[in-house]
Structure formats: structure tokens, C-alpha cells
Amino acid sequence: MINLQDLDEDQRIAASAPRGPVCILAGAGTGKTRTITYRIAHLIDQGFVSPNRVLAVTFTSRAAGEMRHRLNLMGIGGVQARTFHAAARKQLLYFWPQVAGNLPWRLLDNKFQLVGRAVRGARLESQTEKVRDILGEIEWAKASLITPEQYPERLGNRTPPAPAEKVAEVYQRYENMKATPEGMLLDFDDLLLHTAGALENSPAVAEEFRQQYRSFVVDEYQDVTPLQQRVLDAWLGDRDDLTVVGDANQTIYSFTGATPNYLLNFSRKYPNATVVKLQRDYRSTPQVTGLANTVIGQARGRVAGTGLELEGMRPAGPEPEFAAYDDEPTEAREIAGRILTLIDQGVPASEIAVLYRINAQSAVFEQALSDAGIAYQVRGGEGFFTRPEIRQALSQLIRASQRDVDESDLVRLTQRTLVPLGLSSEEPTGAQERERWQSLNALVDLVRDLVAATPDLDLTGLLLKLRERQEEKHPPTVDGVTLASLHAAKGLEWDAVFLVGLVDSTLPISHAIKAGDEAIEEERRLFYVGVTRAREHLVCSWALARQEGGRKSRKRSRFLDGIVLDLASESGTPRSNRPQNCRVCGSVLHSAAEKVVGRCASCPIQADEQVFEALRTWRNDTAKRENKAAYMVFSNATLMAIAEMNPTNENELLSVPGVGPMKIENYGDEVLAVLGHR
Ligand code: ATP
Ligand code: MG
């Protein structure tokens, strides 16, 4: 049942406050989400409100599901937990006939096409990137409650993607085009606008709604837009049974129009509000919170009320690590190796995340993880092969294979095929173009790897290999490592977090650097969000060149200044990047699997084949019995290392790379028995 003893004193004050306005202003991992879940449970348990009269708003539908799940565990069902959009959509479906009679409407499913037409109507160039930028601008304006007429004068210091009057014209045309003879087309923002409008303009609708919903809770309130706030105000009317929680230091959606001001001004709007600050971070070790405090402590122009200092409540853990690598493929391979080691030490793969700034960065890590045999899932952004530009690229290559093309240099052929899709020799500056460019380049890199591995590959063979890759990318979704952008990682937590690609112009991203200080500060907060996702293990890494052998012209993220020494300028190779050598032939090892075994894949195996096979059979049986993926018990690489080193006791076993104390505890006896030492 609901036991408020599961909360600390400050959390309890917030959870058990009487009905009415409550505001929790607190840092990452301090239990905000947990506290509001308990608050809902407590209000229901005490009979202040019934479950179906509560509306909880979360930032993602995943978070909504999580909240319902946690409430169910406490024996409470029937609470509505939704995103603003999902809640508005449901309400509009219900109230539409009352406000619009039988005027039909449907959700606009291809906004891009419509905006494209509006762009052409306004006689602007309509390349994909331009349309996308203007579309983003219209979304910002709508979320900020700015009409087409107001747009030019409400721009402030924003740089519009086209002359302001032109953007306003496109915006107006777009709005007009949604009224079709067959009925209204509504985009996502319209759902919110019309919901607020229905409640504001129709007393009957408002009364019915307010009869139904009495108590409101909003998570991640620092990232609410004026449009969402208007919906919230319409829901409430003149009532004040509202609990909000947020952390201004985690405002990372300003570019969509979101603002922390509603959170920071809450107690001005509701002078009788219970305001609680939480500082104890239950998620992370003091080592992680120490770094988080330093990162956010360097923020410029911090808003009053955001000067929270996190106190890590978990037992001490490892220091965060920083690692510079020569190039991205090396960075990805090394990280995959680290992940393999963590898994071997007993950290579940589902408790490990690789976080990056933009989705295109996932490609090289997807590749490295799949090479190392590690299952993964890509969150918030589709997997590499389902990206539109990659799908287009593959179909162009298939088309090329049907023509009579010169197949002598497949890498060049691929490059030439991808030029019309946006592969230029210079890295473009626009965010969207850059992301596209990076994934096209990642595809070229992949082709280069495949060609290197199979020198006599022809185009059909290459397409088959790409198809294989694509099909392998349907990994089991359970037990996998998470790949996610920093934006998509909001509110989540993992035992081990790898913050990768920390180079200037990726974090902070180039367009933020161009836009100036405010935008750069938002990027810093994004870094802070990343750091605070880790419970225990945290590794920050970056690569000095993009490609293997490329010019090392990149600079690590400016946010690391004052946090780590400039590793690149130190003499020699940074420690974390020191090559590891084969124990047979002494040459430098490359792949993660080779490093775990400590031997080149091509060097003769030093182990008795039968011993290795016995270990493998034991491992597979154990995995089956425990219902896990085989590599979660021991990876093949680790089994090989065990077979080669033939440890005779637990201490020796512990010295095998990839075997940690957890593994000894779980499997030590059995492994030694298989080796005949027990
Ligand atoms: P974020 O700012 O990232 O959204 P948050 O403030 O919402 O973080 P939660 O996700 O609610 O934090 O909690 C972080 C972790 O700390 C969770 O694993 C949660 O279960 C745990 N936690 C919170 N409060 C307590 C507590 N009083 N005792 C033990 N664990 C707690
Ligand atoms: Mg939270």
C-alpha cells in the first residue's frame, strides 16, 4: 500500500500536502517523479480524490506508461497519465461535436507536404531543408501562441529561416490550407489550441470537463510551452488543485518554445502554494553528482532559484572517466569493449546507455555494438537503416545496380550515388543538413568497411551485405544496451552511461554556437541532463577525427574545460587510448572482441579447443536455464580468454579480462568445475 515512509522528509511534505497548489523545484534524481507518483497515490488513498478525477501529464508517453505502472504496483488503477498532446486529443474527440457540430476533422498526417506547398505558394525555394526549417519555425510560433500577423514583431532576437514577412506568409497559407472542403485538418498544435478554445469559449464544455477532472499533476514542468500552459489554465479554470515538478537546470526544449518561467514563477501565481526544494540525489553516486554540480556550476547567467547543489546519496562509486580517441570508429569500438567488460562484470545490458547529441551519431555505435555481438535498441529516433535518407540511399544503390555501372570502386560509386541526396565534400552547417550528411557519410564508411573485409565484392554482393546488416538490426528489445539522444534520455536512468561524441560543434552543436550564449547554455544543460542519467559508471568520450586516419582537427567540447586536462595536448597517447597488444604476436589489437581475448583474431588459438567447447556448452545451457542472452553469461571472447589462461582458482579467474566479482559469485565454481579444477 502507500507508505510515505518510502519518501524522505522533504518529499513527504510535498506528497502529503493538502489539496491545492504544490511546486517541487528540484535537481536531477532527487525523486520528483517518484514524489508526484506518491502524491497521487496519497490523495486517492486518503479519499481526497478518486482515481478517475486525476489527470497526470508527463513528457513522453513512455513516462506516462511508467507512472501508471508504478501506481498499479501501489494498488491504484484508473488514473489518467498522458502527454499534453494525448490528453488534448482525447478531449477534443469527445467535445468536438459540442463545439463544432458535424464539421468533420482529422489529424493532419503529412504536415511537411502541406508546408512545402505553402512555401512554394509564397515563392520561396522549397528544398527539403528549407521546408523543414520553416516548419520548425511555424511549430515554434504556434507553441508560443504567436499568430502569423504577430510573427514578424514577436521574433525578438531569433533569426528566422527566411525573411520574417515571408515566414509569416507561409504560416498564414499553411493555416488556410488546413480548412479543406472535406473538413478541417488539425496538426498536433491545433489539438491543443482547439482544446483550450473549447474550454475557454463554451461554458457547458468547461463545466462538464471540470466536473470530471479535479486534480492535476505535471512532471518536467520546466519544459512547458505557452500553448501547453494555456491548456493547463483552461483545464483548471479558477481552481488550484495543481502539483508541478521540475528542474530549471534541465530546460532543454527552449527551441520548441518551452520556458522554465512558469515553474520559476509558480509561487507568485499561487502565493499559498506549498513549495518544496529537494537536494538529495538518490539516483547517483557522489562522484557523479560532483561532476554534475561542476558542469552546471559553470553555467553563465543562471536564473535565480536554480542554484541547487546535488548531494549524491548512493554509496561512493568509481570516478567519472574521460577519454579522447583518434577517430569515431575507434571511439565506438573502445566503448563497445568497455560495455562488454561491464556486461561481463554483471551489469545488465539494459542498465547501460550510450547517449549522444544528434541521432546521426548512433550509426557508428550501432555498427560497433553489432560487431561486438551486443544487443541494443535505439530510442527516440529510428535505427540507422530506417532513416529516410538511408532508405533513399539504399534504393538509389539498388537502382544503380540495375544499370550498367562501373563497379571497380564501390566506395566511389556509393559516394557518387549519394551526392544528389546531400553528400557533399564539405560538412554543411545547418543542423538538419548536417545530420543527414553525417548519416550518409556513415553509410559510406560502412561500405568502405565491407569492401575492405571482402575485396572482390561486387555491387550486388554489397547490396546483399547491406541487406543482412539491415536485418540484423532487429535485435531483441529486451536486455539490450540503449542508444539514445540526450533529448530522449530525459527523466531516465541507467547504471552505466557513456556520453559520447563530446566535441565542440556537436556539443554545443554548431547552430547553437552560431546563435550565441543563450543557445550555448541550453547545450550545457543538455550535457548536465546526460551526466545526471548515470547511477554509477560514467564515461565521457570524444574523437579527434571523424574517420580513421582523418585529420585530428576536432576540439573536445568546451564544457569539459576546467573539468579535464587537455588530454590531446599531453605528450603521448592518452592513457585510456593506449593500444593493447596481442599476447601471441605483439601487434596492436583493434576490435573489442580481440581486446577481451588479448589476441588477434588471426593468431593461433592458445587454448585447447575442447576446453573452449566445453565452456561454450556450459555457457549456452546456463543462458537457457536463466533465460538470458548467451553473452550476458559470458561473451565468446571472455570464454576464449578463460580457455587460454586456464585459471585454477577464483583469484586467477578474476584476472581474466571481462570477469568481475559478480561473475565469480554467480558462476565461479561452475567455470572452475568445467575446467576440471573443482
Ligand atoms: P529527473 O530530474 O531526472 O527527472 P527525478 O527528480 O524525477 O529525476 P526520480 O526519477 O523520481 O527523480 O528518482 C531518481 C531515483 O531515485 C529513482 O530510482 C528513485 O526510485 C530513487 N529515489 C527517489 N527518492 C528516493 C528515496 N526517498 N529513497 C530511495 N530512493 C529514492
Ligand atoms: Mg523525473
Side-chain angles (χ1 to χ4, degrees), residues 6 8 11 28-34 250 282-283 493 533:
D6 295 344
D8 73 24
Q11 294 173 334
T30 53
K32 295 183 297 297
T33 303
R34 180 170 163 134
Q250 292 185 68
Y282 291 95
R283 174 179 296 145
E493 58 189 28
R533 298 309 96 199

Side-chain angles (χ1 to χ4, degrees), residues 17 39 134 314 321 343 380 434 475 477 535 546 628 631 676:
R39 173 160 179 74
I134 295 183
R314 287 174 71 95
E321 288 179 51
I343 293 173
R434 197 179 129 106
T477 45
R535 295 199 190 100
R546 206 172 64 76
K628 319 178 159 161
Y631 74 87

Side-chain angles (χ1 to χ4, degrees), residues 145-349:
L145 297 173
I146 295 170
T147 61
E149 307 85 68
Q150 294 165 336
Y151 176 80
E153 85 244 24
R154 296 270 308 267
L155 260 180
N157 53 8
R158 242 179 122 78
T159 320
E165 277 70 27
K166 280 289 182 189
V167 177
E169 185 188 337
V170 176
Y171 180 8
Q172 187 64 63
R173 281 174 180 268
Y174 167 72
E175 290 298 316
N176 297 344
M177 282 154 85
K178 284 185 300 171
T180 72
E182 294 83 46
M184 298 266 281
L185 295 172
L186 303 186
D187 64 25
F188 276 119
D189 300 317
D190 294 329
L191 296 179
L192 294 173
L193 274 170
H194 287 287
T195 301
L199 291 160
E200 288 162 359
N201 302 325
S202 162
V205 167
E207 192 179 335
E208 188 179 345
F209 177 86
R210 290 172 196 156
Q211 279 296 327
Q212 170 67 47
Y213 290 107
R214 304 282 174 82
S215 238
F216 300 86
V217 174
V218 186
D219 199 359
E220 305 276 0
Y221 191 54
Q222 77 280 358
D223 266 325
V224 76
T225 64
L227 174 57
Q228 291 167 339
Q229 180 63 40
R230 178 157 159 199
V231 171
L232 183 60
D233 286 335
W235 284 344
L236 281 161
D238 55 9
R239 303 168 303 166
D240 66 357
D241 192 353
L242 170 65
T243 302
V244 297
V245 304
D247 174 7
N249 287 329
Q250 292 185 68
T251 304
I252 56 173
Y253 280 91
S254 303
F255 69 95
T256 67
T259 158
N261 292 337
Y262 300 108
L263 174 70
L264 297 171
N265 294 331
F266 191 82
S267 57
R268 231 162 291 161
K269 183 165 174 186
Y270 299 101
N272 61 332
T274 305
V275 179
V276 176
K277 288 194 176 178
L278 308 173
Q279 312 241 29
R280 285 179 288 266
D281 178 326
Y282 291 95
R283 174 179 296 145
S284 309
T285 63
Q287 284 70 22
V288 171
T289 55
L291 176 60
N293 286 330
T294 311
V295 167
I296 205 68
Q298 293 178 342
R300 282 180 220 138
R302 285 174 89 187
V303 192
T306 61
L308 299 162
E309 176 104 355
L310 297 175
E311 183 194 343
M313 300 302 282
R314 287 174 71 95
E319 286 294 333
E321 288 179 51
F322 302 91
Y325 297 105
D326 286 347
D327 50 72
E328 274 184 17
T330 307
E331 179 183 12
R333 252 192 326 259
E334 293 289 331
I335 300 294
R338 302 284 304 258
I339 291 175
L340 221 43
T341 309
L342 283 174
I343 293 173
D344 278 342
Q345 286 169 355
V347 180

Side-chain angles (χ1 to χ4, degrees), residues 24 29 98 176 249 273 300 314 317 357 424 448 579 618 637:
I24 305 177
Q98 279 186 62
N176 297 344
N249 287 329
R300 282 180 220 138
R314 287 174 71 95
R357 175 64 179 84
S424 48
R448 191 175 285 122
W618 164 82

